Amino acid sequence: MATVDGLPPLREVIAHHGLVAKKSLGQNFLLDLNLTSKIARQAGDLSQCDVLEVGPGPGGLTRGLLAEGARKVLAVEKDSRAMGPLSEISAAYPGRLEVINADALEIDPLERLTPPVRIVANLPYNVGTELLVRWLTPPEWPPYWASLTLMFQREVAERIVAEPGSKKYGRLAILAQWRTTPRIVMELPPEAFSPPPKIHSAVVHLDALPAPRFEADPKMLERVVAAGFNQRRKMLRASLKGLAPDIEDRLTAAGIKPTDRAEQIPIEGWCALAREMAKG
C-alpha cells in the first residue's frame, strides 16, 4: 500500500514495534496519513517554519508535517517505546526531524527551534489543557510561537471558542481569545483513532495577535477570572468578595453590574476589572 512518504503504513509500524496506546499517557493514535496531512495543512505554510510537536506517538502527524514541507520538526515524546518508529521517520527525512524523549512540561523548546515557530500537536488528553494554558500565558507577549494547531476533545475545543453567555464560556475562552484568534478547523470521529476514544475530537487553530485585545496585567486577569468562574452560578459581588472588601465599587468602576454572573461578562469587561484590581 502506497503512503505519502514511502514509509510503511502506520498500522504496520505499530504492529512491528508492538506499540499499544497507553491510557495512562492519554494516548490515542491517529493512523490515517491523509488525515494527519490535512491537520498539518491547517497550520498554514510550514516551509519557512520550525514546528514543535508534542506527543507524536508512532509519528502519524509527524509524517504529515514533514510531507507538507515543514522546515524542521522538533518532536517531544515522553513514551520511550515510540523512539523506534520516530527514528525511522528521522532517517527518511535527514536533518529535518529532531526527537526528544522527554516530558513536554519540563523542557525549553526554544533551545532547539529557530523562529518563526508553529506548534502542531495531537495533544495527549491528560496534559492538553495544561499545555495550552502555558502557551497562552508566557511572561512576555507576543510569544515565541506564531500559531497553535492543536487537537483536543471536542468539548475542550468548544470551550476555547465559546462566547459570553454560553455554558462553555470560561477561563479557557478568555485566556485564548484575549491574545489569539481561535477557531475550530476540523472535527474527527472516534473511529479515526486507535483505540477509538469515547468522545469526538476537534482541531483548533489559534493565531497569536501582535498584542492583547485589551490592556490588562496577565496575572491579575487570571486571578479575577479564576475567582469569578470558580463559583460561576453566584453573582460576581459574591464570587469575587474575597478579592477586595470594596469589590462592588470596583465592579461598577469596570462597567460591570455586581449582580451579573461570570459567564455574562465579555473579555473587555474582565480586562477592565483586572485593571481596577491592579490599582491596589
Side-chain angles (χ1 to χ4, degrees):
M1 179 181 173
T3 59
V4 294
D5 50 16
L7 290 165
L10 281 164
R11 289 192 185 278
E12 290 183 17
V13 172
I14 288 171
H16 176 71
H17 289 274
L19 275 177
V20 178
K22 283 187 176 181
K23 191 173 182 180
S24 63
L25 294 175
Q27 291 176 331
N28 292 92
F29 298 148
L30 195 55
L31 302 183
D32 185 334
L33 289 170
N34 291 317
L35 269 180
T36 63
S37 291
K38 185 176 180 181
I39 293 168
R41 288 194 293 273
Q42 305 306 313
D45 181 5
L46 302 176
S47 62
Q48 302 301 315
C49 299
D50 282 6
V51 176
L52 170 63
E53 183 190 5
V54 174
L61 181 55
T62 314
R63 288 166 64 173
L65 291 165
L66 291 164
E68 290 299 320
R71 182 174 66 191
K72 173 188 174 179
V73 175
L74 174 65
V76 183
E77 176 55 67
K78 187 176 182 179
D79 188 356
S80 60
R81 301 176 306 152
M83 294 302 104
L86 292 170
S87 66
E88 292 167 5
I89 301 168
S90 184
Y93 289 94
R96 291 177 57 201
L97 173 61
E98 180 179 358
V99 181
I100 305 176
N101 185 195
D103 187 333
L105 295 169
E106 297 175 0
I107 68 152
D108 178 9
L110 263 186
E111 296 175 353
R112 302 166 185 265
L113 294 169
T114 303
V117 174
R118 296 186 185 274
I119 300 177
V120 188
N122 171 17
L123 292 174
Y125 285 158
N126 55 354
V127 295
T129 303
E130 182 176 356
L131 280 168
L132 174 63
V133 170
R134 286 193 182 200
W135 288 327
L136 291 173
T137 56
E140 296 181 1
W141 197 270
Y144 72 84
W145 48 268
S147 67
L148 308 172
T149 306
L150 308 172
M151 188 182 302
F152 296 98
Q153 301 173 46
R154 187 169 64 185
E155 183 268 336
V156 175
E158 289 171 347
R159 284 165 51 201
I160 293 167
V161 301
E163 296 183 355
S166 72
K167 290 182 178 179
K168 292 179 179 174
Y169 178 70
R171 174 173 174 252
L172 271 187
I174 292 165
L175 290 180
Q177 296 172 38
W178 179 43
R179 298 198 280 196
T180 78
T181 303
R183 64 188 192 279
I184 294 175
V185 292
M186 279 180 69
E187 295 197 16
L188 293 93
E191 54 268 25
F193 300 87
S194 177
K198 294 179 180 178
I199 43 80
H200 282 67
S201 300
V203 178
V204 183
H205 181 81
L206 306 93
D207 285 309
L209 295 171
R213 295 182 193 278
F214 308 103
E215 183 184 346
D217 174 74
K219 291 189 181 300
M220 182 58 75
L221 180 62
E222 281 195 73
R223 186 182 172 202
V224 296
V225 168
F229 283 96
N230 190 42
Q231 303 178 73
R232 60 185 301 148
R233 293 185 180 180
K234 290 189 174 182
M235 296 178 186
L236 286 171
R237 67 185 181 194
S239 61
L240 299 177
K241 65 181 180 182
L243 296 182
D246 59 345
I247 192 62
E248 289 198 38
D249 292 338
R250 294 180 188 244
L251 284 164
T252 302
I256 298 170
K257 295 178 182 177
T259 54
D260 279 349
R261 291 177 173 80
E263 67 266 17
Q264 296 174 269
I265 309 305
I267 296 170
E268 183 176 7
W270 285 108
C271 291
L273 179 58
R275 293 195 297 272
E276 286 298 321
M277 295 299 299
K279 293 178 180 177

